Amino acid sequence: MISEPSRHCTVELQALPSRIGQVRRIISAQLRYWHLDPLIDHAALGVTELLTNVHRHAQPDKSCTVEIELLLERLTVSVHDHDPRLPTVRQADDSSTSGRGLALIAAVSESWGVRPRGGAGKIVWFTLPAPSLFAVQPPHSVYGATTDGPFDLNGIMSPEYVQPSVARSVSVG
């Protein structure tokens, strides 16, 4: 049996608004390099929400580590910070301007959770199912295009390529 080694990327930063956009671009570039383009939007959204939570809530400092790891066709994105307080999912009403971050992560991920780091903070993580390396990849979008162009995209995507429905779960500990 041939197994593929895990792929791993780590970024250390201060969770400041200007750095959050940079990390989002780093994660997106890394996923493109690994040929995981279909995961970019959900991974970038999730890491943005987690880093925003560090920026808004973490004490005593805003330093954190973002890790992405691909192992056994599963991408795990995690953010480690120094605040031992565990986050809670809030029920934001329609007029709230914040409080939806963890609910968004739950909506776009396969699973997510929180792990205390023995008094040295916590790790908040989420997973995304990675497409098989042998699956047919959908065509790449043309960036900057304002119309579909004169070409017909019907029939380019294989009928076998169907986005799987996934179970969602959360775990603490």
Side-chain angles (χ1 to χ4, degrees):
M1 177 175 167
I2 298 173
S3 65
E4 185 173 324
S6 70
R7 297 177 186 174
H8 188 260
C9 176
T10 303
V11 179
E12 295 181 15
L13 70 140
Q14 291 289 318
L16 304 173
S18 61
R19 297 287 299 165
I20 293 171
Q22 291 171 344
V23 171
R24 189 173 51 243
R25 288 186 293 277
I26 290 168
I27 298 300
S28 297
Q30 187 66 54
L31 293 178
R32 268 189 222 88
Y33 178 73
W34 289 345
H35 305 288
L36 295 173
D37 299 47
L39 302 182
I40 291 173
D41 290 342
H42 289 164
L45 173 64
V47 80
T48 299
E49 294 301 329
L50 293 180
L51 290 175
T52 299
N53 283 350
V54 173
H55 172 69
R56 293 182 126 191
H57 305 292
Q59 300 293 328
D61 60 44
K62 307 301 179 191
S63 63
C64 62
T65 303
V66 175
E67 290 187 66
I68 59 172
E69 182 175 35
L70 178 64
L71 183 62
L72 301 175
E73 295 187 10
R74 183 94 38 251
L75 181 73
T76 302
V77 179
S78 60
V79 174
H80 310 227
D81 68 43
H82 298 119
D83 191 339
R85 296 174 299 160
L86 301 180
T88 57
V89 178
R90 295 179 19 199
Q91 293 289 18
D93 61 34
D94 292 340
S95 62
S96 296
T97 58
S98 65
R100 294 179 181 86
L102 292 176
L104 278 171
I105 289 170
V108 303
S109 68
E110 179 180 58
S111 60
W112 72 278
V114 181
R115 253 187 345 261
R117 283 184 20 185
K122 65 183 166 301
I123 301 168
V124 183
W125 56 269
F126 64 92
T127 63
L128 299 170
S132 170
L133 296 176
F134 302 107
V136 176
Q137 296 294 318
H140 291 285
S141 299
V142 177
Y143 294 99
T146 57
T147 66
D148 288 338
F151 40 85
D152 180 15
L153 295 178
N154 292 330
I156 290 179
M157 191 181 311
S158 168
E160 292 85 25
Y161 181 81
V162 177
Q163 198 70 318
S165 62
V166 294
R168 291 182 165 70
S169 63
V170 62
S171 65
V172 176

